[in-house]
Each structure stands twice: as C-alpha cells, then as structure tokens.
Amino acid sequence: MNGLPEKKIQWAISLGCIMYDSFVRFVRELYQTNEDIQLHIPVFTNEDKTTVCDAIDSTFVSSVSAYVGKFEQKLCDFTRSSYVVSVVNGTAALHLAMYLSGVSKKTEVITQSLSFVATGNAILYTGATPVFVDISPDTLGMSPIALSTFLEEHGELRENGTYNRLTGRRISACVPMHTFGHPCEIDKIIDICKRWAIVVIEDAAEALGSFYYDRHCGCFGKLGVLSFNGNKTITTGGGGAMLMDSSITAERSRHLSTTAKVPHAWEFVHDRLGFNYRLPGLNAALGYSQMNSLDGLLKEKRKIAMAYREWANDNGFNFVAEPKNAKSNFWLNTLLMEGKQQRDAFLEATNQRGIMTRPPWNPLHTLPCFTKCLRTELTITDDIVGRAVNIPSSPRMAYQ
Ligand SMILES: *Cc1c(COP(=O)(O)O)cnc(C)c1O
C-alpha cells in the first residue's frame, strides 16, 4: 500500500474526532451538566413520592388497590382508547394480547426483526413462531410493502384464515412495532391484514404520546401494548398495559390477568388457566402520578429532538425525523451514520467521554432463539442496524 490512502484514512479519522467532539460539546450544553449523560432516565416529582406513600398508607399495595383503576382511567383519557388493562410489564401485555387473539402453537406471527427481544419472546411464549419482514427506512417500523409482498408470495387465504404456503401453518397475527416512538404506517398495515384476515397487535411499548393521524399508537389494531419500564417515557418501575376497543376483550383481559379468579366473597374459583399479570397498586400509584407529568415530558422531549435535528443539519449528520402524518414522542433520538465504521468510532468516542450512546438492539433474527425463524430479505433492517445510533434523550428535568 502506498502512503496516500493511509493518509487519507488518518485525515478522515481526525475529522471524525472533531465532529464527535462537537457532538459531545453540544450534548453537554444541551443538558447543562458535567455528569455522565445517560440514554434515558426517568423524572420523578414530589407528587410521585407522596402518591406512592399514599398507596403504602392505604395498605392496598396489590392489584386490588384503587390506584389500578385510576391509572387505567388516565391512560384511557390520554390515548382515547375505550379500555385499558394494566399488567406487570410490557412483555406480559404482549403475551396476553396474543394469547387472547388466538395466537397458539403451530401458528405464525409476522413481526419485524428490529425490536427489543420482548416482541419475539412473547410470540415464543404462546408456542407460535415469528416470521420476520423488513422495515421501512422512513419509520424504522414494519414496511407495509414488505408485509404485502410476503403475503402475496406465500399467503393463501382460506375459510378460517391465511396460511403460509411454505410451511402449511396458519398466520395468526401481525405485530408491528413503533420503533423508538416513531409511528409506523399502521393504517396501511391494518388494511393489508384486513384483506388477509390477520389480527393486528401493535407493540406500542415505546410509543406512549405518539400519534398517527391524530390517533394514539396502539389504538389501531385489535390490541395495543404499552410499557412503563424504567427507561420509557413514563415509568411505574415495571409495568405495561393493553389498549382495546372491545368490552368483551377487556373483560377477558382482566379475568385472565387475575389468575382467572371468579369474583366471590370467599371462594377460590379459578375457571380456567390464568396468569398472575395484574399491575400492583404500588406501581399503579406511581403511574397515576406520572401521567400528570406526561404532557410536560413530551413537550420537553420534542424540544430536545428539534435541537438535535438542527445540530445534525448544521453538522452533516443524518437525524431520524418524525415520519409523515405522525407525531412522535421522540422516545429515543437516533442518528444514522455513513456506515458501521463511522458508527462504531462515534460510539467509542462518545461513551469514552461520558455521553451514553448505543447501537440498536441486535436484530432478532441474529439471536439464538430466533435464527431458525422464517424471514424475508431484511436489507433495510441490516442496513439500519449497522448505521444507527441512539443518543441521550432524557428530559432535561432529570438532571436538575
Ligand atoms: C420496552 C419494550 C417492551 C416491553 O418491555 P417490558 O420491559 O417488559 O415492559 C416491548 N417491546 C418493545 C419494543 C419495547 O421497547
């Protein structure tokens, strides 16, 4: 090798470092702190503390607490979902949503590979097998084109549903995910699935406060799922919820998540196999109070996103923008680098300087539990996974 290309590489690397320094300086200025800056930390108010104490004082800390219903009502009001059933975490919500929708052994569930492992795990809990289709570069969520191409090629609509001609198995559900809080093209996905008689369950775990055409994410499919894990937009420590329109489904959700116990003054009658999935009152109390902060948190998260967008535009970086017709909650802001090399150098430089940045999850089709699962070409998924980086997105109140 002659000296020239090497020099060029050196030059590119030092230019990269200057850019990364400018990012680090920008984030420090944005958050006004010399502490390490995390990806997403929660904000707690004094009201949160007094509300949790109130739940303790009441002695009703389990799911019989009045706070469970009060938290669910607040979620109903905010999302405009007809019914909300809260459960112990988002994974349990996904599992129960699928269980309720008839997802079972020897069936298949279409989903995206770019997701947190919970989406895939919940499918496996039911005994079904995931099928991975590609994402759209505009939303980072399931691509309606990839979905319909897969169904056109391999789907066969029969009397009791659509079957995969390759495997002979029934396709029992489709689970798109609203990635990093950006709404996917859920209206198109719903249309396609309607044509093929496939139930849609939305993994809206990251999308509390995200809307598509003025409708809250999770309110399009038969069921939608939220998460209140510690790193999500609001938190109950751990927690999740199912959104739905049907009163019958709501009743079944409540029953099945409460060990299928038939209400009775003293008898323990459990009329079928149930789950102990109900959200405890302690967690619900925190959620009830956190809901009062939600509007403020969303405004603040939007401000941070807009600041990043401007910085990225001025500095030649590619910021993942709010999709068309959508209002994102900007749960985790994302930059798209030129390639893996630049991305890894960025991760190295920023983490070394106390600014937490992270690549997306390893896509599900590369994890041991899922490598044997059927998948279509995942060109966009692989490309995005190699180039994307999540950047600090906490509301600034978290550092005050
Ligand atoms: C957070 C999350 C979940 C649920 O996670 P829990 O920790 O079980 O609440 C599910 N799917 C996605 C995509 C998530 O980000």
Side-chain angles (χ1 to χ4, degrees):
M1 202 202 272
N2 68 37
L4 244 179
E6 213 166 297
K7 238 185 200 161
K8 223 172 174 179
I9 289 164
Q10 290 272 296
W11 175 77
I13 288 172
S14 55
L15 187 71
C17 284
I18 293 167
M19 298 266 232
Y20 307 151
D21 274 342
S22 129
F23 177 78
V24 168
R25 254 182 285 122
F26 177 75
V27 178
R28 290 229 171 271
E29 202 143 297
L30 185 65
Y31 281 97
Q32 296 279 311
T33 178
N34 290 318
E35 287 172 50
D36 282 1
I37 300 177
Q38 313 293 321
L39 214 56
H40 203 283
I41 58 176
V43 177
F44 296 115
T45 62
N46 285 329
E47 191 206 334
D48 290 340
K49 292 172 195 167
T50 54
T51 311
V52 173
C53 284
D54 184 55
I56 292 174
D57 291 340
S58 78
T59 75
F60 289 102
V61 290
S62 77
S63 55
V64 298
S65 163
Y67 277 115
V68 174
K70 284 163 76 170
F71 177 42
E72 289 172 349
Q73 188 55 51
K74 284 219 165 169
L75 288 166
C76 275
D77 295 343
F78 183 84
T79 60
R80 282 180 271 127
S81 173
S82 308
Y83 301 93
V84 172
V85 177
S86 58
V87 292
V88 285
N89 56 50
T91 311
L94 278 168
H95 177 212
L96 193 52
M98 286 190 242
Y99 186 87
L100 278 163
S101 304
V103 175
S104 57
K105 241 184 257 180
K106 295 190 184 130
T107 71
E108 291 177 354
V109 175
I110 304 175
T111 190
Q112 58 195 67
S113 180
L114 179 67
S115 188
F116 177 53
V117 70
T119 318
N121 283 348
I123 295 170
L124 292 187
Y125 296 163
T126 65
T129 314
V131 174
F132 300 114
V133 300
D134 212 355
I135 54 170
S136 145
D138 301 324
T139 66
L140 309 188
M142 183 182 284
S143 153
I145 297 169
L147 173 65
S148 74
T149 306
F150 171 76
L151 288 168
E152 295 295 342
E153 272 178 29
H154 304 299
E156 185 183 313
L157 185 57
R158 298 189 201 156
E159 221 167 89
N160 63 341
T162 289
Y163 284 72
N164 181 343
R165 266 193 258 116
L166 289 172
T167 60
R169 287 190 287 232
R170 189 169 68 84
I171 298 169
S172 53
C174 173
V175 184
M177 199 272 278
H178 301 288
T179 309
F180 305 140
H182 295 302
C184 67
E185 290 170 272
I186 187 67
D187 53 342
K188 290 186 187 152
I189 291 169
I190 296 273
D191 279 350
I192 295 162
C193 288
K194 217 172 246 168
R195 228 178 307 134
W196 293 91
I198 295 170
V199 172
V200 176
I201 295 162
E202 291 173 77
D203 185 342
E206 305 176 355
L208 179 64
S210 299
F211 294 81
Y212 193 63
Y213 283 109
D214 289 333
R215 202 155 154 200
H216 197 278
C217 288
C219 294
F220 291 79
K222 177 182 159 79
L223 287 139
V225 163
L226 300 175
S227 165
F228 312 113
N229 191 33
N231 61 348
K232 297 279 163 48
T233 301
I234 68 156
T235 185
T236 58
M242 296 184 288
L243 314 180
M244 65 211 91
D245 269 340
S246 148
S247 63
I248 296 166
T249 310
E251 193 133 326
R252 288 187 65 206
S253 304
R254 291 216 164 85
H255 187 58
L256 282 177
S257 60
T258 324
T259 62
K261 186 178 183 302
V262 181
H264 190 281
W266 57 82
E267 287 230 58
F268 288 94
V269 178
H270 303 262
D271 63 359
R272 52 177 296 176
L273 177 64
F275 304 93
N276 184 11
Y277 277 181
R278 282 295 262 162
L279 186 69
L282 267 188
N283 306 73
L286 180 55
Y288 173 74
S289 171
Q290 284 262 295
M291 282 303 284
N292 290 336
S293 305
L294 182 55
D295 284 331
L297 294 174
L298 290 169
K299 270 195 198 117
E300 167 65 8
K301 286 178 69 60
R302 176 166 293 269
K303 272 190 208 155
I304 289 166
M306 292 307 113
Y308 276 133
R309 189 180 66 171
E310 199 178 318
W311 176 86
N313 283 342
D314 293 348
N315 290 272
F317 280 82
N318 188 349
F319 175 77
V320 175
E322 195 165 43
K324 253 200 312 205
N325 310 315
K327 197 172 144 204
S328 300
N329 65 0
F330 293 106
W331 173 55
L332 277 190
N333 292 296
T334 309
L335 295 175
L336 279 183
M337 302 287 161
E338 299 289 325
K340 194 167 183 320
Q341 227 170 353
Q342 187 197 14
R343 198 272 306 272
D344 291 349
F346 183 88
L347 285 169
E348 185 78 42
T350 47
N351 282 291
Q352 225 169 44
R353 291 165 172 79
I355 307 291
M356 189 194 267
T357 60
R358 288 286 181 270
W361 317 274
N362 286 10
L364 300 184
H365 71 277
T366 66
L367 302 180
C369 282
F370 306 102
T371 41
K372 290 207 184 86
C373 297
L374 201 65
R375 57 179 193 255
T376 63
E377 269 188 46
L378 302 176
T379 320
I380 310 289
T381 303
D382 288 331
D383 174 54
I384 296 288
V385 164
R387 295 196 292 128
V389 55
N390 292 131
I391 55 182
S393 303
S394 311
R396 281 169 292 193
M397 296 82 110
Y399 290 94
Q400 282 157 12

